[in-house]
Amino acid sequence: MDRPERALTRDDFIDAEDWYRYQHEGGFLRRVHRGQRYVPALGNGPWAQLVNMTHDVREKPERRYSRLSTGLRGKDYERLWSAVALANLKSHVLNVHVTIAWSTVGIRGEADVGEANEKFLERMRHCLDDLAIPHAWIWVLERKSKVGVHSHILVHVPSMYHHAFTNWVRSGFRSATGREPTDAKASKSIVVRLARDRDWNQQWVWLHYLLKGVKRGEAIRDLYDHRARHDIAMVAKLKLRPQGKISIKRSGYAQAVGPKALVEYLAEYPLALHELADRGPITARFLHAGEACRAISHMDI
């Protein structure tokens, strides 16, 4: 019996308008993360407006996402790790780390944090497009007792655009929340950390930090032997620490470095599969492997 195809998500569409058109033509209501809460479509494009006019989302009752997440699953680890590896194969190092504490401006509810995080990422897409920067990022939500649910975003931004991007982050935050970020030392809304364009070591330090929320005992499949399972913490040398319970989606990635993009990349450069078999710490080998694959593909043999 054939397995049913999965439902498409926002990450399957590069342009937001295409996503809203898909929703309208499919008769779907706009939601944040698996039907947790109905919210209006973002943007002023014709399809976004049509979705809002067709579906009166403001009058729909709020629905609770009943499944609590106590940490990142093995599938989450694989997708986040693969997204960073694919970005590096394409010569894009995730060299900027953005941390956002939403509670510093009064946004504390999980649904509100999920909505603000989605709005920020949508505006970040447009910012990167304006700067002609390829889409390569991942994000993780964590919960801490003092700061509440907060966001960690690793994104590829060439150093020549660091100043412009850092300035934009504040305006992106204001646009997503409608509030001014705080700069108080004890309750800072935004922290942006920068690294060099090819600083794969700092990238791994940050990724290692984001992956600390993997649940203990989670395992990943062996790419060459699907019967074999490997403990994630041991393979990636992670120091696991609980990151609280969350009832909304707690991680994600840019569509351009997602699973579909990885399949397309391997179809063009099958030799890269060897590097992806070892899903431990991400080192310079992915940058070198990507360069080697492109060089081989241009050889006239």
Side-chain angles (χ1 to χ4, degrees):
M1 182 177 178
D2 294 336
R3 296 178 62 185
E5 294 185 2
R6 67 173 179 82
L8 297 180
T9 68
R10 172 64 183 87
D11 290 334
D12 292 306
F13 298 83
I14 296 178
D15 187 80
E17 278 292 283
D18 291 337
W19 167 234
Y20 298 137
R21 178 177 181 177
Y22 167 74
Q23 286 189 323
H24 174 73
E25 294 181 344
F28 305 123
L29 291 175
R30 177 77 175 131
R31 296 183 176 93
V32 170
H33 307 315
R34 301 188 183 183
Q36 182 200 13
R37 180 184 178 186
Y38 296 94
V39 296
L42 306 176
N44 297 317
W47 285 105
Q49 295 183 48
L50 187 57
V51 166
N52 285 336
M53 288 188 293
T54 305
H55 307 297
D56 191 1
V57 296
R58 292 171 295 179
E59 295 183 0
K60 297 295 180 179
E62 181 175 336
R63 298 175 59 187
R64 298 292 297 175
Y65 179 40
S66 59
R67 181 178 173 182
L68 282 174
S69 168
T70 58
L72 294 170
R73 301 167 300 166
K75 183 184 295 185
D76 298 323
Y77 171 85
E78 288 194 77
R79 290 177 176 175
L80 293 173
W81 184 94
S82 296
V84 178
L86 177 57
N88 285 191
L89 286 169
K90 293 181 175 181
S91 293
H92 307 323
V93 172
L94 307 192
N95 60 329
V96 175
H97 179 192
V98 180
T99 302
I100 303 177
W102 306 101
S103 62
T104 57
V105 293
I107 300 176
R108 296 183 174 84
E110 288 185 346
D112 295 326
V113 169
E115 183 178 345
N117 187 68
E118 183 178 3
K119 286 182 178 179
F120 182 86
L121 292 172
E122 185 66 32
R123 285 152 177 75
M124 189 175 77
R125 288 185 181 94
H126 295 305
C127 170
L128 297 178
D129 286 340
D130 291 342
L131 296 174
I133 298 174
H135 293 185
W137 70 77
I138 64 170
W139 59 268
V140 172
L141 293 183
E142 297 177 346
R143 179 188 292 280
K144 288 294 185 181
S145 56
K146 292 184 178 180
V147 73
V149 182
H150 56 285
S151 302
H152 289 289
I153 303 169
L154 298 187
V155 55
H156 165 69
V157 181
S159 57
M160 64 184 295
Y161 296 115
H162 278 180
H163 181 70
F165 182 79
T166 301
N167 287 340
W168 171 84
V169 168
R170 294 183 64 85
S171 64
F173 180 92
R174 284 194 296 268
S175 179
T177 64
R179 307 172 193 184
E180 189 70 26
T182 65
D183 295 317
K185 187 175 182 180
S187 57
K188 202 167 187 178
S189 298
I190 306 168
V191 176
V192 180
R193 299 177 177 87
L194 309 170
R196 299 185 306 277
D197 287 356
R198 292 175 65 87
D199 193 344
W200 55 266
N201 185 60
Q202 185 60 62
Q203 172 192 250
W204 173 248
V205 171
W206 289 334
L207 179 58
H208 187 278
Y209 181 78
L210 265 62
L211 296 174
K212 65 184 181 297
V214 171
K215 295 192 293 186
R216 293 190 182 279
E218 286 291 303
I220 50 177
R221 296 171 301 162
D222 190 303
L223 289 182
Y224 295 118
D225 182 2
H226 287 187
R227 295 170 299 177
R229 296 289 187 274
H230 305 289
D231 183 85
I232 292 176
M234 294 182 63
V235 170
K237 301 178 181 178
L238 300 178
K239 296 181 179 179
L240 303 183
R241 287 180 283 174
Q243 296 304 307
K245 295 180 179 180
I246 298 177
S247 62
I248 57 177
K249 185 178 179 183
R250 68 188 306 151
S251 66
Y253 41 80
Q255 181 264 349
V257 290
K260 183 178 179 181
L262 180 59
V263 171
E264 294 173 352
Y265 185 89
L266 291 176
E268 185 174 1
Y269 305 110
L271 292 177
L273 181 63
H274 174 71
E275 297 298 335
L276 294 168
D278 175 13
R279 284 163 288 180
I282 293 181
T283 64
R285 62 192 173 94
F286 290 97
L287 290 171
H288 300 328
E291 293 165 355
C293 285
R294 289 190 292 276
I296 293 174
S297 69
H298 290 111
M299 293 177 63
D300 186 11
I301 301 177

